[in-house]
Amino acid sequence: MLNNPYTPDFGSLHVHFKNLFLAYVFQSHEEDDRKVRRREKNRVAAQRSRKKQTQKADKLHEEYESLEQENTSLKREIGKLTDEMKHLSEVLKDHEKICPLLHCTMNFVTVPRPDALASCLPR
């Protein structure tokens, strides 16, 4: 049996499997290291992304509050201008009742003359 070429050499076979196993363990360890580095890199990228998203949301919220304040201020201004317009309309309406120029027949002259205006004014 010693010289039979078909008889396996268990000693060299054992060394071969041992080397394969060590290569597998080394390769597996390298892959684990790569996975750990990749996970860490991904974790950092995710943190950066969440931070950027939070900053964007904060900026939008600040812009929203600023626009709300501006809107409130503009509504107040509209209210004041509306009140002023009503007041001036009433003043104009009261003035139209007593204005001698509006009731003057000479008002339809295209070029006003000082003597025509004088005839419409109360004496």
Side-chain angles (χ1 to χ4, degrees), residues 24-40:
Y24 172 77
V25 168
F26 181 72
Q27 183 180 5
S28 177
H29 182 65
E30 282 183 342
E31 288 175 1
D32 287 346
D33 284 349
R34 270 185 259 152
K35 283 181 183 177
V36 167
R37 284 193 303 272
R38 190 168 16 104
R39 280 190 196 133
E40 179 64 18

Side-chain angles (χ1 to χ4, degrees), residues 13-116:
L13 191 60
H14 176 70
V15 170
H16 179 70
F17 279 118
K18 183 178 177 184
N19 289 338
L20 282 175
F21 176 74
L22 289 175
Y24 172 77
V25 168
F26 181 72
Q27 183 180 5
S28 177
H29 182 65
E30 282 183 342
E31 288 175 1
D32 287 346
D33 284 349
R34 270 185 259 152
K35 283 181 183 177
V36 167
R37 284 193 303 272
R38 190 168 16 104
R39 280 190 196 133
E40 179 64 18
K41 191 175 178 181
N42 186 277
R43 185 183 65 78
V44 170
Q47 280 179 330
R48 249 192 333 263
S49 176
R50 285 190 292 272
K51 183 177 179 181
K52 188 176 178 181
Q53 202 173 17
T54 301
Q55 288 172 339
K56 186 177 179 181
D58 290 346
K59 185 177 178 182
L60 282 173
H61 185 70
E62 287 173 12
E63 187 178 347
Y64 165 80
E65 287 181 343
S66 174
L67 290 171
E68 279 291 321
Q69 287 177 354
E70 184 180 359
N71 191 27
T72 301
S73 174
L74 289 171
K75 283 181 179 179
R76 248 187 265 122
E77 187 176 350
I78 288 171
K80 287 178 184 177
L81 291 172
T82 302
D83 290 346
E84 184 180 358
M85 184 181 72
K86 286 177 184 174
H87 171 72
L88 291 174
S89 291
E90 289 174 15
V91 169
L92 179 62
K93 195 185 278 184
D94 291 344
H95 177 74
E96 286 173 344
K97 291 177 187 174
I98 62 169
C99 180
L101 295 176
L102 291 175
H103 301 293
C104 179
T105 56
M106 299 300 292
N107 222 10
F108 298 105
V109 175
T110 55
V111 179
R113 295 178 299 195
D115 59 320

